[in-house]
Amino acid sequence: MATKITRRSWAEPYKMKMVELLKTTSRAQRIKAIREAGFNTFLLRSEDVYIDLLTDSGTNSMSDRQWSAFMLGDEAYAGSQSYYKLEDAIHKYYGYKYVIPTHQGRGAENILSQIMIKKGQYVPGNMYFTTTRVHQELAGGIFVDVIIEEAHDPNNLHPFKGNVDLQKLENLVKIHGAEKIAYLTLASNVNMAGGQPFSMENLKAVRDFTKKHGIPIIHDMTRVAENAYFIQQREPGYQEKSIREIVREICDHTDGATMSAKKDALVNIGGFMATNDPQVFEEARNLVVVYEGLHTYGGLAGRDMEAMAVGIKESLDDRHQHARVGQVLYLGEKMQEYGIPIVKPVGGHGIFVDARAFLPQLSQDQFPAQTLAAEIYMDSGVRTMERGIVSAGRNAKGENYYPKLELVRFTIPRRVYTQAHMDVVAESAALVYERRKKIRGLRMVYEPKYLRFFQARFEQL
Ligand SMILES: *Cc1c(COP(=O)(O)O)cnc(C)c1O
């Protein structure tokens, strides 16, 4: 008998050994909870959340090997063996010469910005990231967006929306001169654009240009393995290369890096700064003791560094990335079947719903994405987050940034949820979409000075 199977499915390259029980809530409980949280999903208690897609940061499941490594943690204050294991992993897989561990990504951004930015210098980047830009500005720098225009259009199907627009970069150098540019921040799989990759071709062109002008490239490598997966899938000449090889090639084209290991590297806490410049390293090794801890632990326990070293290796497995990004694509396809407007193409770490298109009756000052995140939570207990005008914050003069993208992020933690969870999530988004015309916006009633999206409070209009 002829088989009806036209393709072979894949599945996660792991099985479950331990599970964490989830709590479910009633709609009335959820309405009470979101009111108390000022309609900000960051202020919900996680015990009131069913499926938590707030972030993929620090929410990964560790493997049995990582948990075993935990027990090997060397908690010596100075010269911990665990630090040397982490350093070895970074040398081996990423290739950077000098390593400074930090408690998480922003710790690395703080130290790097203070060392590499002189007051009044420009810091171009392929789209801003919240903590990255804050540290650049606190160090006296001026962020300039040099990502390609396609990245600001949620419907544009460009396969590498994380690319740098070389013309924008060239103009910046022409106007201000290369000496007024501290460095270029190059993020892999650009978070704020929806988890969109840059291509190796673009990176090489950026490298050629920056080399000519003596501008360092600092790699925000938080999601480098996901970027490498897209290069493998989409860029001519890379189909036969492993993710491990592609990641190394990316790192080799850059001069230094900041890393939030809470994402790609499959741990719950940790990060580092890396550089190939001995002078920058010297200063960083000195500054880290002020902000983080001694240069052989940087605010981390020995066990955290052990788990990170193992997680880095596991993140570069081709089958792991296939399952990780595959699950994100699965949710994206489901949502599109239901007609929900999402950022396309689907990115690497989550689905970004276009809240402007979802709730066209709301102006940006009525916080469409903040509103939609609250509505989804009330519907099903699924927690998502705003990436729009609230996240964008204000400039140095105190004026609101008005970002083109007004998105709700459904971020998928690595190795945590199943395909059935993704079905529940897509159905909830579809049900809210069905009654979208009845949804009213929000008004901000409390605004913190820094990174306001974390703690701002709202009321329903
Ligand atoms: C999360 C993140 C950071 C900051 O890292 P933390 O570990 O949260 O401090 C920096 N850049 C990008 C792209 C991120 O996603």
Side-chain angles (χ1 to χ4, degrees):
M1 209 175 76
T3 166
K4 294 211 175 81
I5 293 172
T6 54
R7 61 161 202 166
R8 306 282 294 236
S9 283
W10 53 272
E12 290 76 4
Y14 52 82
K15 59 182 179 177
M16 291 168 204
K17 190 177 283 193
M18 186 186 280
V19 296
E20 179 179 337
L21 301 183
L22 297 175
K23 204 179 111 181
T24 46
T25 47
S26 67
R27 185 171 171 88
Q29 284 172 321
R30 293 193 293 272
I31 289 172
K32 182 165 175 281
I34 195 78
R35 283 227 172 96
E36 282 172 10
F39 292 87
N40 185 346
T41 51
F42 274 101
L43 299 178
L44 286 168
R45 288 168 178 244
S46 80
E47 65 169 354
D48 294 328
V49 173
Y50 172 35
I51 299 174
D52 202 349
L53 306 187
L54 183 75
T55 175
D56 63 332
S57 178
T59 52
N60 306 302
S61 278
M62 293 208 296
S63 67
D64 49 357
R65 280 151 212 260
Q66 287 176 289
W67 281 110
S68 309
F70 244 48
M71 295 306 295
L72 301 175
D74 174 1
E75 307 303 344
Y77 188 91
S80 161
Q81 295 175 62
S82 307
Y83 165 75
Y84 292 104
K85 282 190 208 165
L86 173 64
E87 189 187 43
D88 280 349
I90 293 166
H91 286 161
K92 181 168 168 189
Y93 298 113
Y94 301 144
Y96 296 113
K97 277 196 198 125
Y98 309 107
V99 180
I100 300 277
T102 57
H103 77 285
Q104 60 185 83
R106 69 198 71 182
E109 292 170 345
N110 172 34
I111 292 168
L112 182 108
S113 301
Q114 289 202 34
I115 294 170
M116 292 191 64
I117 301 171
K118 289 195 209 87
K119 198 166 168 10
Q121 275 189 322
Y122 294 88
V123 192
N126 55 344
M127 207 172 259
Y128 83 98
F129 183 73
T130 53
T131 59
T132 319
R133 189 177 62 193
V134 157
H135 282 300
Q136 290 167 352
E137 290 174 351
L138 289 172
I142 304 155
F143 170 81
V144 184
D145 188 0
V146 293
I147 202 165
I148 56 172
E149 271 315 299
E150 286 88 337
H152 294 286
D153 173 3
N155 293 311
N156 192 299
L157 290 172
H158 195 292
F160 292 106
K161 282 165 109 171
N163 279 355
V164 170
D165 184 330
L166 275 155
Q167 198 56 53
K168 287 187 188 171
L169 187 59
E170 223 175 298
N171 287 347
L172 192 70
V173 175
K174 230 180 249 161
I175 295 169
H176 302 289
E179 66 291 344
K180 282 286 280 181
I181 296 178
Y183 55 85
L184 168 77
T185 311
L186 186 74
S188 29
N189 240 39
V190 183
N191 191 347
M192 300 301 276
Q196 304 290 332
F198 56 68
S199 69
M200 196 69 83
E201 187 187 17
N202 183 253
L203 171 55
K204 285 181 188 162
V206 169
R207 173 76 289 180
D208 287 346
F209 178 81
T210 51
K211 205 172 224 168
K212 213 165 60 197
H213 294 278
I215 299 167
I217 300 178
I218 297 301
H219 178 199
D220 181 341
M221 63 181 303
T222 297
R223 294 185 181 78
V224 65
E226 288 165 12
N227 198 119
Y229 176 75
F230 283 120
I231 288 176
Q232 188 189 52
Q233 297 297 308
R234 295 178 185 167
E235 190 160 353
Y238 285 90
Q239 278 68 49
E240 301 306 320
K241 293 218 163 120
S242 65
I243 290 188
R244 181 176 161 181
E245 289 170 310
I246 299 169
V247 162
R248 183 57 194 265
E249 190 177 335
I250 292 172
C251 294
D252 284 349
H253 288 306
T254 68
D255 302 293
T258 56
M259 170 67 147
S260 170
K262 301 171 71 173
K263 283 75 172 240
D264 243 17
L266 294 166
V267 287
N268 302 122
I269 193 73
F272 60 83
M273 186 199 121
T275 175
N276 293 331
D277 181 334
Q279 219 170 331
V280 170
F281 175 59
E282 182 70 33
E283 284 181 55
R285 199 165 51 171
N286 197 215
L287 260 194
V288 73
V289 297
V290 179
Y291 293 105
E292 304 279 317
L294 198 67
H295 62 281
T296 53
Y297 77 87
L300 294 168
R303 54 181 172 269
D304 296 325
M305 294 188 282
E306 293 275 347
M308 208 195 302
V310 178
I312 286 170
K313 176 163 182 254
E314 289 180 359
S315 77
L316 302 179
D317 181 279
D318 283 39
R319 293 173 313 154
H320 163 68
Q321 284 307 337
H322 188 55
R324 191 285 184 278
V325 179
Q327 187 177 47
V328 178
L329 293 174
Y330 176 84
L331 177 60
E333 280 167 16
K334 272 261 134 134
M335 288 214 188
Q336 283 178 278
E337 280 168 29
Y338 293 133
I340 299 163
I342 64 170
V343 173
K344 286 168 279 196
V346 169
H349 67 297
I351 302 303
F352 291 68
V353 171
D354 182 354
R356 280 180 198 268
F358 200 113
L359 298 172
Q361 71 269 32
L362 302 189
S363 71
Q364 202 168 13
D365 290 314
Q366 296 171 331
F367 309 109
Q370 190 77 30
T371 302
L372 183 53
E375 291 288 334
I376 302 262
Y377 171 74
M378 285 187 275
D379 178 73
S380 58
V382 170
R383 172 156 69 170
T384 59
M385 73 170 281
E386 194 258 15
R387 275 294 183 225
I389 186 167
V390 185
S391 292
R394 295 175 185 269
N395 67 16
K397 287 187 221 134
E399 301 150 343
N400 275 315
Y401 286 109
Y402 283 90
K404 285 187 195 146
L405 297 179
E406 185 71 25
L407 307 175
V408 174
R409 191 177 79 178
F410 292 64
T411 343
I412 308 195
R414 296 165 190 78
R415 308 194 290 205
V416 173
Y417 292 113
T418 66
Q419 198 154 303
H421 287 119
M422 296 302 115
D423 291 340
V424 169
V425 170
E427 286 159 20
S428 174
L431 285 168
V432 175
Y433 192 55
E434 269 178 18
R435 52 171 191 78
R436 63 190 179 276
K437 296 210 171 89
K438 296 205 188 99
I439 294 172
R440 289 165 295 148
L442 297 169
R443 165 163 74 90
M444 201 188 295
V445 293
Y446 167 66
E447 180 177 352
K449 189 160 168 216
Y450 300 111
L451 302 174
R452 66 182 182 189
F453 60 98
F454 283 129
Q455 287 153 340
R457 300 183 71 87
F458 301 83
E459 277 171 9
Q460 259 175 329
L461 288 173

